[in-house]
Amino acid sequence: MGEETIRERLERGELTLLAPEAAKAARTRGRLRPGEAESDVRTCYQRDTDRIVHSKAFRRLMHKTQVFLKPEGDHYRTRMTHTLEVARIARTIARALRLNEDLTEAQALGHDLGHTPFGHAGEVALSDVMGVPFRHNEQSLRVVDRLEKDGDGLNLTYETRMGILGHTGEFVPETLEGRVVRLSDRIAYINHDIDDAVRAGILANGDIPRSISAVLGESHRERINTLVENVIRTSGEAGDIALEPQVRKAMDDLRSFLFERVYRNPVAKGEESKAKQILRELYRYYMAHPDRLPADFVPQLDFDGISRTVCDYIAGMTDNYAVYKFSELYIPQGWQLR
């Protein structure tokens, strides 16, 4: 019998230290494509995290819109900073509940890899041109399963993949870790979007209804602290990931308030029509000129077809790159003597 590897020691530690209902790396349902050799030093969920962090799609998150399109200033959230905030909230909850932090982190870091340029405006634009709903959670799964690594995908574990898919939408992950990420995503964005809206001058903390502040708190710190501590306490008692009814209602009311005052605010969304038009025109152009797609997308045309391939290409763009490609294709360039 050989010497125990670091991975095997970590897996044994999970069986001892984690809650009975926590996901265990040694009991994973496996990777999308089985047969990979195991690492000597990392569990399968740690490898998932590393693959996500080293992916091209993850790097692009730093230049993708969260709420405010191309804001002036360095302190507004991007899709990357949102992802990191979700990961930190989710790990705090997972640690307190003795769940698998490595799986939680992998799911959190991968949950928004499929987001379009220009935030949810990009989703609307691609839904329009495709004729079917474009859902970023489904695209995130597509990114890790098929699009990364020149079509090979990242070959993640089932548990990480389902946590990515189920962070929003009708499907709810089987693992408690996935449900932690699902709730942490909402905790993160409703709070940091308030922070950004206040910075943008379209909202003041005092605008938040007293019925909400009385439950969740007056400040960014207080609201997150209330929600995180409540989900830890309530989940520990309920045996599932949950909030007390009063706190859940206050969080839902706060989300509705943000839709009314921020997400549909003409100041915050004033440029969205232009952003949507950019993506629609890019889609039309590449549908007519598939030969102008990047070389690494050309093989995809044979098995996914032109519409899906063009959609994948545009969905992966950053805000700046989408504007650059539109300008290159449609804006006259100054004549230069050669």
Side-chain angles (χ1 to χ4, degrees):
M1 184 174 179
E3 182 180 352
E4 182 181 51
T5 65
I6 294 173
R7 172 185 56 79
E8 290 169 335
R9 174 167 55 81
L10 293 172
E11 291 175 344
R12 180 166 50 81
E14 287 182 356
L15 295 172
T16 303
L17 299 175
L18 297 185
E21 61 273 18
K24 314 297 194 304
R27 297 173 181 169
T28 178
R29 291 178 58 173
R31 298 194 177 279
L32 182 62
R33 297 187 305 278
E36 277 194 17
E38 296 285 358
S39 168
D40 285 342
V41 298
R42 293 172 296 162
T43 69
C44 58
Y45 300 144
Q46 290 173 331
R47 293 182 81 186
D48 283 355
T49 296
D50 291 342
R51 292 177 184 191
I52 289 167
V53 169
H54 288 282
S55 70
K56 291 185 291 185
F58 185 80
R59 293 194 292 274
R60 290 195 296 266
L61 294 177
M62 68 187 296
H63 296 299
K64 290 195 176 192
T65 288
Q66 176 63 26
V67 172
F68 294 89
L69 297 180
K70 298 175 70 66
E72 295 184 5
D74 296 331
H75 297 148
Y76 291 90
R77 269 71 170 188
T78 65
R79 193 63 58 181
M80 171 72 81
T81 54
H82 162 72
T83 293
L84 296 177
E85 290 184 32
V86 173
R88 291 311 308 164
I89 291 171
R91 286 200 68 153
T92 296
I93 295 170
R95 183 182 301 117
L97 296 176
R98 293 171 52 221
L99 300 179
N100 196 309
E101 290 184 55
D102 294 325
L103 173 58
T104 304
E105 182 175 44
Q107 295 168 335
L109 293 177
H111 82 280
D112 268 356
L113 293 179
H115 245 298
T116 60
F118 309 122
H120 289 283
E123 285 190 276
V124 172
L126 289 181
S127 295
D128 290 345
V129 295
M130 291 286 287
V132 294
F134 179 97
R135 299 182 176 94
H136 75 271
N137 58 318
E138 296 173 358
Q139 187 70 9
S140 293
L141 183 62
R142 183 171 173 80
V143 166
V144 300
D145 280 358
R146 300 193 60 179
L147 299 182
E148 276 291 325
K149 297 186 69 175
D150 298 322
D152 288 337
L154 302 181
N155 200 24
L156 305 181
T157 61
Y158 174 85
E159 294 80 13
T160 297
R161 294 172 57 244
M162 292 305 101
I164 289 172
L165 176 65
H167 82 271
T168 190
E170 295 182 0
F171 173 74
V172 178
E174 300 99 322
T175 63
L176 291 179
E177 289 82 359
R179 280 172 259 171
V180 165
V181 171
R182 186 179 174 96
L183 184 56
S184 297
D185 181 38
R186 181 166 292 193
I187 291 173
Y189 77 69
I190 63 174
N191 282 287
H192 64 50
D193 290 352
I194 292 173
D195 197 33
D196 283 354
V198 170
R199 180 172 289 108
I202 64 174
L203 193 68
N205 262 316
D207 295 336
I208 297 172
R210 287 299 309 156
S211 59
I212 297 173
S213 297
V215 176
L216 299 183
E218 301 286 347
S219 68
H220 178 79
R221 179 187 64 81
E222 289 174 350
R223 285 188 295 268
I224 290 184
N225 197 56
T226 296
L227 289 163
V228 169
E229 290 189 357
N230 191 267
V231 71
I232 290 169
R233 182 173 61 254
T234 306
S235 299
E237 297 169 354
D240 197 358
I241 306 306
L243 287 164
E244 290 176 347
Q246 180 186 20
V247 176
R248 166 67 75 171
K249 182 180 185 304
M251 186 177 76
D252 291 343
D253 289 347
L254 181 56
R255 183 171 181 267
S256 297
F257 170 78
L258 287 174
F259 266 96
E260 177 185 347
R261 293 291 301 275
V262 178
Y263 302 143
R264 300 188 182 114
N265 185 287
V267 175
K269 299 302 182 182
E271 298 295 292
E272 278 197 357
S273 61
K274 298 177 185 177
K276 292 174 185 176
Q277 190 62 23
I278 285 174
L279 299 192
R280 292 189 190 108
E281 292 301 328
L282 289 175
Y283 180 85
R284 294 188 186 103
Y285 178 86
Y286 287 109
M287 285 293 290
H289 303 281
D291 55 302
R292 297 295 301 274
L293 286 166
D296 52 340
F297 279 87
V298 173
Q300 186 183 337
L301 292 168
D302 293 334
F303 53 85
D304 275 337
I306 184 172
S307 181
R308 183 72 250 181
T309 302
V310 170
C311 178
D312 287 339
Y313 175 47
I314 294 173
M317 291 179 176
T318 63
D319 296 16
N320 289 336
Y321 188 71
V323 171
Y324 164 75
K325 293 305 293 184
F326 179 85
S327 298
E328 180 184 60
L329 296 172
Y330 290 107
I331 306 301
Q333 304 298 309
W335 184 83
Q336 294 181 1
L337 180 65
R338 289 176 171 80

